[in-house]
Amino acid sequence: MLGIENLPKLAGPFLKTERKGPAAMIQQFEQDHGGGMAKDLAKNRRVVMPSWTEHEEIKELQKSYSRNKVRTTKYTFLSFIPKNLFEQLHRFANLYFIFLAALNFVPIVNAFQPEISIIPIVFVMSITAVKDLWEDQRRRKSDQKVNNRLCDVYDRKQKRYVERRWAEVCVGDLVRLCCNEIIPADMVLLHSSDPNGVCHIETANLDGETNLKQRQVVRDLPQGSEFVPENYSSHIECENPNNDLRRFRGFMEHPGKVRVGLHSENLLLRSCTVRNTETVIGIVVYAGHETKAMQNNSGPRYKRSKLERRLNMDVLWCVILLLLMCLIAAVGHGFWLSGLQNPIYMIPDDTHPALAAFYMFWTMIIVLQVLIPISLYVSIEIVKLGQIYFIQNDLDLYNPVLDTGVQCRALNITEDLGQIQFLFSDKTGTLTENRMLFRRCTVAGTEYPHHENAISLEQYEDQGCGDADHSLTLRSRTSRKSLSCKSLSCNRSSVSLNTLTAESDTHSVHDTLRRHTPGAFSGTMECAVVPDPQLQAKLNTLSSAMRSPPRQQAAEISHILDFFLALTVCNTVVVSSPTQPRHVSPTTPSGTPSYTPSTPVTPALSSGAWSEDVDDIQKAKVNSADESESDDEDEAEELLYEAESPDEAALVQAAKAYGCTLLGRSPEQVLVVVPGTGPLSIPLLHVLPFHSARKRMSVVVRHPLTGEVVVYTKGADNVIMELAEADGFSREVMERTQRNLDQYAREGLRTLCVAKKVLEEQEYEAWLKRHEYAETSIENREELLLESAERLETNLTLLGATGIVDRLQEEVPETIEALQEAGIKVWVLTGDKQETAINIAFACKLLRPTDHILMETCEARLHELQHEIRQVTKEGVSEDDSSDCVLVIDGRTLDYTLQKELQGSFLELTCCCRSVICCRSTPLQKSQVVRLVRDKLKVMTLAIGDGANDVSMIQMADVGIGISGQEGMQAVMSSDFAISRFKFLRKLILVHGHWCYTRLANMILYFFYKNVMYVNLLFWYQFFCGFSGSTMTNSWVLIFFNLLFTSVPPIIYGVLDKDVSGETLLDLPDLYKSGQNSQAYLPSTFWMNILDAFYQSLVCFFIPYFAYTGSDIGVFSFGSPINGSALLIILLHQLIESRTVTWIHTAILLFSALFYYAFVLLFSLTCVTCNSPTNPLGIETKMMSDPLYYLVCGLTTVLALLPRYYTLEQFQIVTVYSCTLMIGRYSDQSDVRSGFSLRSKCFHSDVQYLGSNRLGVWLL
């Protein structure tokens, strides 16, 4: 940890005691660096002054900053062709075909007309260019719409605000915004119409979060009814642009040389929307592409799939095969020339046979070029887009509550969903609802079980309201009072996430459930808290106007009040109301007494300070008017709480149930109601926000009754327990509280501890001086603030703890059970306690009652567990069955096991376990675990989470899935796929993942097959033409055969084919294992297809050869039945391989055949010199008029396909009872035969299935 003595060094040179204005600072820079001030200054930090500043150096510096015009397009009118060509030339396949096209222009090696050879590459690159241009045009229209938006910018010449386009806004401009307007650039907030200097913004356009976030005006700036831009003369120094949305470091220096630290709370981010505030004014510090929103705009994610890596290897095999065939042809040509003795049919040539063989090698490269599938990569992109379209439009994956389906953010890894072997899941918000309910608590060592609260919850769920998530609707939050015009103009223009409430919330079983008002992240169940009678009775002593509590109860009541006061103020909850834009009162309302004393009261809170003011509270209760009291109650009932965390919302609602109501919040104070009093204004001195390293948050307030400085802290129980004092009575409280916490954890509750600390004035002043020092730093600010917070949060007094229930999402146990049956190992990585995680694991069937739970706590224990596993295995449980062992490991032990020397032993242990649960794990540890398993075990990993703490884990996995849950959209924005519920993972992986993998794998194999099959026809012909590079077909058909005639059917095949129905895949999760084992695309499968292509090409070539032997037909006439047979064989081969055939399949297959024959007939009738020097005129018409043509084509097709057809049938019969995948396919066909299922559910109702059962095609 950084020492306080290092603060001046770490904070940077600008924190020296001698402070300089901007002009003096610039002069110093010029003296130190000998000129070049602007460049040196820009490297360190950014200086911002109003755009009308008279400092020429700063003017020039600000001109160098980015303007607010944004351009997300890749191309301009002039750069499109060269830039797009440059990008496409980065692909090896494109370079390969351009090289061949250029080679064909060399006369000595050309195989056919040079202009024809460029058609394939021009066609493919043109399609890609058109696609890129269309995407770029969409971006251009979006940019124009954004840049042409208008905002009010101050013009010093006109002395008023004028309308300007967003594109014209510059750094240093003062911008005025009204309610519901979008922020045009990153601005430091200088003025707000709110008297407390508060502004509320909605960041939904930036990170998807719809709860309001509070921003505040920079300290020490004058706040009045009007802001005069001419009077603003401060300057800002801040860090250079970056993409961290939650960090902003800098300071503002006022004319009096007073520096005020700038934080993220002072920054209004581009793309956010101003809410609940009439007018705000800010100065632009980052514009255009330097704004944080644009810095985070990285576009769709691109990854390289496992299948694509395998594809690249097979392309290399095809290249080797091509070179081998060309080498054979070249050697054959050389030997053939050597054996000739001055033939009369050849022009005399002095070229040596060896040199001629060398030339022939390159000629054959051109002739056989289609062996490398040029259209394969484009076809794969089209197929993946089609797969993504159907995934996103699957109604089974649609959530009507949020009106969202699956979001596919990574466009090229759909097939990886079908090969997942390890799944890493967060717990809270992923497996559970993350919609919290205050269940029970312990205060001062006394446990309050809240039995009635538990009964109400059970009744609520038994009556069908527990499934509120299935029936959530948007409900207007209008109150009994009519909305004012001000409220209507400044409140939200659209209903946000926190207005989601259950349809049945007005029919609850308990009055509390009927009368509650929902808050952020809260539905009916979450907000309803039934107070515990015992705890309520103790608090009622304060509400009694007749008597004060006995002195012996004063200390306990003091703890209770401090406990609930901590729950009320130690948060970042934003308070709003249906009748007002916000509910914050700078002064105590008239008619209710204020208890903020003019001078501090001496008694300490820990000694019962609350109890010493009990008499005052009783007097206040008597003096309060009944009318104002009822008004306050009505008003409190209508308060709406918007929290960034569902835990905060649950705790604030719990405190409200006991009468400690949060009424409003401003940067300087919190307005609360305490039992027995009216509203209390509590000065808010500091907020130390939650940090993943500290695992806690704190607020520093001045107590409203004693005037003392008090620190309220809440956080993880293990952290707070280590920071709490353990002496005397406190030790006893800690021991009883720890026992209660253990019980809560065994019940699966989320636990949180609450503590406080009273500061002496001198102690607070000393801490404040150092804290302000850290706040004004730019370099190392986070480290300095972290150290400052840790210095304050010591020697705490434990107040109590809470237990919050977070129920499982629906169908989570069924989903995990199905995934485990599919052979996927499920790991849970959570920050919760070990007992809580184990309890949830049992609830979601990750753990079974018969499982042997292994607890790992140290290195020695690691080796003991390995021995224990071996003993369990010897007793009859095989490792292949994943044994009945489940490993549970905590965060501290995980640190040791992640060290290099222990990684092997750790992985060996986990491989013998059916599942692993990592407790108390940090975000960094989560990503390290995923990387370790992925890299060391060479397996396909998937990570799923819903919060910002899961981002690193999601990005580390091969496939990252984000859940759009209660913790914002950070996980979704970092993911490859996004879903709204964990249960959707079952169909996404087991059904769509299986389909995407098998479809794409089969389509790629089919591409290789058809290219090799057709190229071999040309190769066999070389044995009969002296290996001269001649072909028996015209060059047009040769080029178009694979490019046009047979390219569309595989695409339809890759998008629509289903080897097994979705219902069967869900019923038999074992079918998924075929994808894990890459059974659809094994090396043996690839070579079997290549061998089948060789066989079919032999049949397709030699049957016509023997049929026409001895006839007088020409070369192109001989090639006509070969081409026709090849087309039929290739199309019918796909029909045999297809498991489902829709009318779309049938139409495309017929269209391909008709397109081929229409083209060759038209070519034969009209072309005289299209294939110079030969003449194809009339060849096709003559051949098609001969019955032998049809006999040859029919016989060739049958003989070529018969082995594959017969082998496929026999393979299904032999393996149908041994291969799970065949069982699934057979069961589908059996359903059809028996009449149980006459229609398969395809993606859309208009796609119906036709055909015969033998080919896996279903009959309607």
Side-chain angles (χ1 to χ4, degrees):
M1 203 52 63
L2 300 172
I4 191 63
E5 64 275 4
N6 296 326
L7 272 174
K9 179 180 178 182
L10 294 171
F14 52 89
L15 286 178
K16 293 180 180 179
T17 54
E18 181 184 356
R19 295 179 177 173
K20 303 177 181 179
M25 182 183 64
I26 292 169
Q27 184 178 3
Q28 183 66 40
F29 260 89
E30 289 176 340
Q31 291 175 357
D32 294 343
H33 301 282
M37 177 280 307
K39 293 183 180 179
D40 292 334
L41 190 58
K43 289 180 181 178
N44 295 299
R45 66 186 75 99
R46 168 164 296 200
V47 178
V48 179
M49 294 188 70
S51 54
W52 58 81
T53 179
E54 297 179 356
H55 297 289
E56 294 298 329
E57 294 86 352
I58 291 186
K59 272 189 176 182
E60 292 298 323
L61 187 63
Q62 293 191 167
K63 286 181 180 179
S64 66
Y65 299 151
S66 173
R67 298 182 67 85
N68 204 41
K69 182 178 180 179
V70 296
R71 186 173 74 89
T72 60
T73 58
K74 294 170 62 177
Y75 313 107
T76 63
F77 179 77
L78 296 177
S79 69
F80 172 71
I81 293 179
K83 191 172 183 179
N84 189 263
L85 281 175
F86 178 76
E87 291 176 351
Q88 293 202 50
L89 291 179
H90 278 74
R91 297 179 180 175
F92 172 77
N94 290 343
L95 285 175
Y96 167 76
F97 282 99
I98 289 176
F99 168 74
L100 293 183
L103 192 64
N104 199 53
F105 279 86
V106 180
I108 198 167
V109 296
N110 70 335
F112 35 80
Q113 292 172 270
E115 57 272 14
I116 297 179
S117 64
I118 66 174
I119 291 178
I121 187 61
V122 170
F123 178 78
V124 171
M125 294 183 68
S126 297
I127 291 179
T128 305
V130 169
K131 177 181 71 72
D132 293 341
L133 182 63
W134 177 72
E135 292 177 351
D136 206 58
Q137 188 61 27
R138 291 178 60 191
R139 288 191 290 263
R140 179 173 288 103
K141 290 181 179 179
S142 176
D143 291 344
Q144 290 176 351
K145 182 178 179 181
V146 170
N147 290 327
N148 289 330
R149 286 176 178 168
L150 299 176
C151 63
D152 292 339
V153 179
Y154 186 75
D155 190 325
R156 193 179 189 187
K157 295 181 180 178
Q158 302 184 35
K159 304 293 184 181
R160 64 184 182 90
Y161 289 94
V162 297
E163 278 193 348
R164 284 188 190 169
R165 296 167 53 243
W166 277 25
E168 298 172 349
V169 174
C170 302
V171 173
D173 284 344
L174 267 66
V175 179
R176 182 180 65 186
L177 298 171
C178 298
C179 188
N180 294 329
E181 287 188 347
I182 300 176
I183 301 169
D186 291 353
M187 310 187 307
V188 171
L189 184 59
L190 302 180
H191 176 77
S192 172
S193 57
D194 184 277
N196 297 290
V198 171
C199 166
H200 294 92
I201 63 172
E202 185 182 85
T203 60
N205 292 336
L206 192 62
D207 57 14
E209 298 182 13
T210 54
N211 59 296
L212 294 184
K213 294 179 176 60
Q214 188 169 277
R215 298 293 181 262
Q216 60 190 59
V217 174
V218 180
R219 285 191 293 117
D220 297 341
L221 284 178
Q223 289 297 309
S225 58
E226 292 186 5
F227 177 81
V228 182
E230 300 286 344
N231 295 338
Y232 174 74
S233 56
S234 304
H235 83 276
I236 294 172
E237 290 184 41
C238 59
E239 60 187 352
N240 283 326
N242 58 73
N243 62 355
D244 192 339
L245 296 174
R246 301 183 180 275
R247 189 192 77 185
F248 178 62
R249 299 184 295 193
F251 63 84
M252 178 180 289
E253 184 170 302
H254 300 305
K257 308 302 181 187
V258 177
R259 289 183 176 180
V260 178
L262 299 179
H263 307 270
S264 57
E265 291 78 12
N266 307 123
L267 188 66
L268 304 181
L269 297 177
R270 177 190 173 102
S271 300
C272 298
T273 305
V274 177
R275 301 292 192 194
N276 294 1
T277 311
E278 292 182 355
T279 307
V280 297
I281 298 174
I283 182 170
V284 176
V285 291
Y286 306 126
H289 289 277
E290 294 180 342
T291 60
K292 294 183 180 292
M294 295 303 297
Q295 295 269 324
N296 279 275
N297 186 15
S298 58
R301 294 170 53 81
Y302 289 92
K303 287 185 177 179
R304 211 169 153 213
S305 68
K306 181 179 179 181
L307 188 61
E308 189 176 339
R309 295 192 294 269
R310 174 65 193 170
L311 165 65
N312 292 336
M313 180 60 65
D314 289 338
V315 169
L316 292 178
W317 281 117
C318 286
V319 171
I320 294 174
L321 183 61
L322 172 65
L323 296 177
L324 180 61
M325 295 169 68
C326 293
L327 182 62
I328 292 173
V331 173
H333 183 65
F335 280 109
W336 183 74
L337 287 179
S338 300
L340 292 178
Q341 300 295 331
N342 299 321
I344 60 174
Y345 51 83
M346 289 186 63
I347 300 175
D349 191 357
D350 295 334
T351 305
H352 192 275
L355 183 59
F358 174 76
Y359 291 151
M360 185 52 58
F361 176 85
W362 295 106
T363 301
M364 290 304 299
I365 288 284
I366 298 172
V367 172
L368 305 181
Q369 62 178 299
V370 289
L371 181 63
I372 309 300
I374 184 175
S375 57
L376 176 58
Y377 292 97
V378 176
S379 300
I380 288 175
E381 289 185 10
I382 296 173
V383 166
K384 288 183 178 181
L385 288 176
Q387 292 176 347
I388 287 172
Y389 172 79
F390 286 124
I391 291 175
Q392 291 180 335
N393 286 275
D394 188 346
L395 293 179
D396 291 337
L397 304 180
Y398 172 74
N399 188 341
V401 178
L402 301 177
D403 190 27
T404 59
V406 178
Q407 301 177 38
C408 299
R409 298 174 56 83
L411 306 180
N412 56 340
I413 59 170
T414 54
E415 66 273 22
D416 279 350
L417 289 171
Q419 298 180 278
I420 301 301
Q421 296 165 286
F422 278 74
L423 186 147
F424 300 90
S425 174
D426 179 39
K427 183 186 76 67
T428 304
T430 304
L431 302 178
T432 62
E433 293 281 5
N434 203 16
R435 299 168 70 87
M436 309 301 183
L437 172 68
F438 179 87
R439 175 63 184 82
R440 59 202 302 177
C441 67
T442 173
V443 185
T446 303
E447 208 274 329
Y448 301 98
H450 291 73
H451 292 305
E452 292 186 10
N453 196 32
I455 294 173
S456 296
L457 174 60
E458 292 175 0
Q459 293 176 350
Y460 179 80
E461 293 180 344
D462 290 342
Q463 294 193 7
C465 300
D467 294 331
D469 294 318
H470 298 288
S471 58
L472 293 178
T473 56
L474 289 174
R475 182 169 64 87
S476 175
R477 293 183 292 185
T478 54
S479 65
R480 291 165 293 187
K481 304 174 185 178
S482 60
L483 296 176
S484 64
C485 297
K486 179 179 179 181
S487 171
L488 289 172
S489 63
C490 294
N491 215 341
R492 299 191 183 199
S493 58
S494 61
V495 185
S496 62
L497 178 63
N498 58 15
T499 63
L500 293 174
T501 56
E503 289 179 350
S504 56
D505 61 359
T506 58
H507 307 287
S508 189
V509 298
H510 196 280
D511 290 341
T512 308
L513 296 176
R514 272 201 306 271
R515 289 185 284 108
H516 95 286
T517 301
F521 303 116
S522 300
T524 305
M525 179 188 68
E526 285 74 10
C527 292
V529 177
V530 181
D532 183 86
Q534 182 183 0
L535 185 57
Q536 186 72 59
K538 293 179 180 180
L539 284 175
N540 286 341
T541 58
L542 293 178
S543 302
S544 174
M546 303 301 297
R547 59 183 179 85
S548 300
R551 286 293 176 180
Q552 60 268 22
Q553 296 183 4
E556 184 179 11
I557 294 178
S558 173
H559 270 83
I560 294 173
L561 287 174
D562 268 321
F563 175 79
F564 284 111
L565 186 62
L567 298 185
T568 306
V569 301
C570 190
N571 53 65
T572 57
V573 172
V574 175
V575 186
S576 59
S577 168
T579 57
Q580 296 180 4
R582 64 204 153 274
H583 192 86
V584 179
S585 177
T587 57
T588 306
S590 58
T592 57
S594 173
Y595 299 99
T596 305
S598 57
T599 58
V601 183
T602 54
L605 275 77
S606 58
S607 303
W610 280 98
S611 62
E612 299 194 14
D613 294 278
V614 166
D615 293 337
D616 295 336
I617 295 176
Q618 304 304 323
K619 295 176 183 178
K621 181 68 178 179
V622 174
N623 294 335
S624 298
D626 293 338
E627 293 78 12
S628 63
E629 179 182 326
S630 60
D631 291 342
D632 289 337
E633 290 178 358
D634 290 341
E635 189 174 19
E637 287 182 356
E638 296 174 358
L639 294 177
L640 303 177
Y641 297 136
E642 300 194 60
E644 295 184 12
S645 163
D647 298 76
E648 288 190 343
L651 295 177
V652 172
Q653 292 287 353
K656 180 181 175 183
Y658 285 96
C660 293
T661 305
L662 176 64
L663 296 181
R665 178 184 300 276
S666 74
E668 292 82 20
Q669 62 183 359
V670 179
L671 189 64
V672 301
V673 171
V674 177
T677 74
L680 294 177
S681 178
I682 303 178
L684 183 61
L685 305 180
H686 301 280
V687 176
L688 306 179
F690 176 85
H691 192 280
S692 59
R694 290 167 43 236
K695 294 185 178 180
R696 58 190 180 274
M697 78 162 292
S698 299
V699 294
V700 184
V701 301
R702 190 169 292 279
H703 199 279
L705 301 180
T706 67
E708 294 178 314
V709 176
V710 184
V711 180
Y712 288 112
T713 303
K714 68 175 182 181
D717 48 55
N718 60 326
V719 175
I720 300 298
M721 286 293 188
E722 291 178 357
L723 299 175
E725 289 183 330
D727 55 343
F729 177 71
S730 297
R731 180 183 296 275
E732 183 181 353
V733 170
M734 289 177 62
E735 291 175 352
R736 294 202 302 260
T737 302
Q738 186 61 58
R739 288 195 294 269
N740 295 329
L741 286 172
D742 294 339
Q743 176 63 30
Y744 292 175
R746 285 191 291 271
E747 295 177 7
L749 302 181
R750 290 171 57 86
T751 55
L752 202 69
C753 280
V754 181
K756 74 168 185 177
K757 178 181 181 180
V758 180
L759 297 178
E760 299 292 339
E761 289 296 331
Q762 297 83 356
E763 183 182 3
Y764 171 66
E765 292 296 333
W767 174 84
L768 179 61
K769 184 176 181 180
R770 296 176 176 179
H771 187 72
E772 288 180 343
Y773 208 58
E775 279 186 325
T776 55
S777 66
I778 295 180
E779 287 82 7
N780 303 304
R781 174 184 288 187
E782 284 73 25
E783 293 84 350
L784 297 173
L785 289 176
L786 180 62
E787 183 187 9
S788 177
E790 291 179 340
R791 191 184 312 111
L792 185 68
E793 298 163 335
T794 57
N795 301 322
L796 301 177
T797 299
L798 182 65
L799 296 175
T802 61
I804 299 176
V805 62
D806 183 13
R807 64 176 184 145
L808 284 177
Q809 294 182 21
E810 69 278 7
E811 299 182 29
V812 166
E814 295 80 1
T815 301
I816 290 181
E817 190 174 25
L819 293 176
Q820 288 183 327
E821 289 180 14
I824 299 175
K825 286 199 172 184
V826 181
W827 290 26
V828 174
L829 312 179
T830 178
D832 282 342
K833 291 186 65 174
Q834 190 176 87
E835 294 83 357
T836 304
I838 292 176
N839 185 281
I840 294 296
F842 274 114
C844 67
K845 293 187 178 180
L846 186 64
L847 280 174
R848 299 175 299 201
T850 57
D851 283 341
H852 187 64
I853 301 179
L854 308 175
M855 303 286 188
E856 183 180 343
T857 55
C858 63
E859 180 181 354
R861 178 63 175 156
L862 180 64
H863 299 291
E864 291 178 9
L865 293 179
Q866 289 177 329
H867 177 71
E868 191 174 344
I869 287 250
R870 295 188 187 99
Q871 294 299 322
V872 173
T873 305
K874 289 179 181 178
E875 292 173 4
V877 182
S878 65
E879 292 185 8
D880 292 338
D881 294 331
S882 297
S883 75
D884 285 334
C885 299
V886 175
L887 177 65
V888 180
I889 182 172
D890 62 9
R892 289 182 177 178
T893 310
L894 200 57
D895 277 333
Y896 293 107
T897 57
L898 291 175
Q899 296 175 2
K900 283 189 176 181
E901 56 271 16
L902 293 178
Q903 288 179 358
S905 299
F906 174 65
L907 289 177
E908 182 182 350
L909 176 63
T910 58
C911 289
C912 298
C913 297
R914 188 170 56 84
S915 184
V916 177
I917 301 173
C918 299
C919 312
R920 297 294 193 191
S921 53
T922 64
L924 179 60
Q925 287 177 329
K926 290 182 179 182
S927 63
Q928 289 175 338
V929 169
V930 174
R931 180 173 58 186
L932 176 65
V933 173
R934 184 198 65 189
D935 295 343
K936 297 295 184 181
L937 298 182
K938 305 298 181 184
V939 293
M940 186 67 68
T941 58
L942 181 147
I944 180 171
D946 74 315
N949 60 330
D950 303 316
V951 168
S952 57
M953 173 180 70
I954 289 173
Q955 293 178 334
M956 188 62 65
D958 294 296
V959 179
I961 295 184
I963 290 186
S964 51
Q966 304 295 322
E967 295 189 12
M969 301 290 285
Q970 295 95 327
V972 170
M973 295 174 67
S974 304
S975 65
D976 304 311
F977 300 89
I979 56 179
S980 57
R981 309 292 287 177
F982 184 83
K983 66 177 181 179
F984 295 148
L985 196 62
R986 182 182 181 186
K987 186 172 185 182
L988 180 64
I989 292 179
L990 301 185
V991 178
H992 288 291
H994 175 85
W995 282 345
C996 289
Y997 168 71
T998 54
R999 288 166 175 166
L1000 205 59
N1002 291 333
M1003 189 204 76
I1004 292 173
L1005 290 172
Y1006 178 77
F1007 253 96
F1008 283 123
Y1009 148 78
K1010 74 182 184 70
N1011 283 30
V1012 172
M1013 187 270 185
Y1014 190 73
V1015 163
N1016 278 339
L1017 298 176
L1018 306 177
F1019 180 68
W1020 304 137
Y1021 182 69
Q1022 302 307 309
F1023 289 89
F1024 300 91
C1025 68
F1027 299 97
S1028 60
S1030 301
T1031 61
M1032 69 287 188
T1033 183
N1034 67 74
S1035 54
W1036 290 92
V1037 173
L1038 179 65
I1039 293 298
F1040 287 159
F1041 193 89
N1042 280 310
L1043 190 64
L1044 295 179
F1045 303 147
T1046 60
S1047 61
V1048 178
I1051 294 177
I1052 302 301
Y1053 176 51
V1055 173
L1056 295 180
D1057 189 59
K1058 296 198 299 183
D1059 60 335
V1060 185
S1061 67
E1063 292 84 355
T1064 304
L1065 288 170
L1066 291 175
D1067 293 339
L1068 300 174
D1070 281 344
L1071 302 179
Y1072 185 79
K1073 294 179 180 178
S1074 63
Q1076 292 176 329
N1077 301 326
S1078 301
Q1079 290 181 2
Y1081 198 154
L1082 294 169
S1084 58
T1085 312
F1086 170 77
W1087 289 111
M1088 284 296 296
N1089 276 270
I1090 298 300
L1091 292 176
D1092 193 23
F1094 269 86
Y1095 164 76
Q1096 292 183 10
S1097 65
L1098 286 170
V1099 173
C1100 188
F1101 180 84
F1102 284 101
I1103 288 182
Y1105 174 78
F1106 289 117
Y1108 288 99
T1109 298
S1111 64
D1112 59 352
I1113 63 172
V1115 174
F1116 285 173
S1117 297
F1118 170 66
S1120 178
I1122 294 179
N1123 285 330
S1125 301
L1127 179 74
L1128 293 176
I1129 292 170
I1130 289 173
L1131 295 181
L1132 292 177
H1133 179 100
Q1134 179 181 324
L1135 196 63
I1136 293 175
E1137 289 296 305
S1138 299
R1139 299 296 170 182
T1140 55
V1141 174
T1142 69
W1143 64 266
I1144 299 178
H1145 287 84
T1146 307
I1148 292 298
L1149 290 172
L1150 290 176
F1151 172 78
S1152 297
L1154 294 175
F1155 180 39
Y1156 166 77
Y1157 280 106
F1159 177 84
V1160 296
L1161 285 174
L1162 185 63
F1163 189 85
S1164 176
L1165 291 172
T1166 60
C1167 249
V1168 179
T1169 59
C1170 297
N1171 201 72
S1172 178
T1174 58
N1175 183 4
L1177 185 64
I1179 291 177
E1180 294 293 337
T1181 55
K1182 179 181 178 182
M1183 292 299 298
M1184 290 185 188
S1185 63
D1186 185 3
L1188 183 60
Y1189 173 87
Y1190 300 100
L1191 178 62
V1192 169
C1193 289
L1195 181 61
T1196 302
T1197 302
V1198 172
L1199 291 178
L1201 294 176
L1202 190 60
R1204 171 162 289 269
Y1205 178 78
Y1206 178 77
T1207 303
L1208 184 64
E1209 281 290 297
Q1210 292 301 313
F1211 179 73
Q1212 290 186 1
I1213 294 172
V1214 171
T1215 60
V1216 70
Y1217 296 107
S1218 59
C1219 176
T1220 308
L1221 187 59
M1222 290 299 109
I1223 293 175
R1225 294 171 181 172
Y1226 183 79
S1227 64
D1228 284 341
Q1229 296 178 9
S1230 298
D1231 288 345
V1232 176
R1233 295 189 186 101
S1234 59
F1236 292 122
S1237 176
L1238 295 181
R1239 179 174 304 214
S1240 172
K1241 291 183 180 179
C1242 194
F1243 293 100
H1244 297 285
S1245 59
D1246 58 340
V1247 182
Q1248 300 176 354
Y1249 294 94
L1250 320 165
S1252 89
N1253 296 328
R1254 176 179 289 113
L1255 302 182
V1257 186
W1258 296 1
L1259 179 65
L1260 282 178

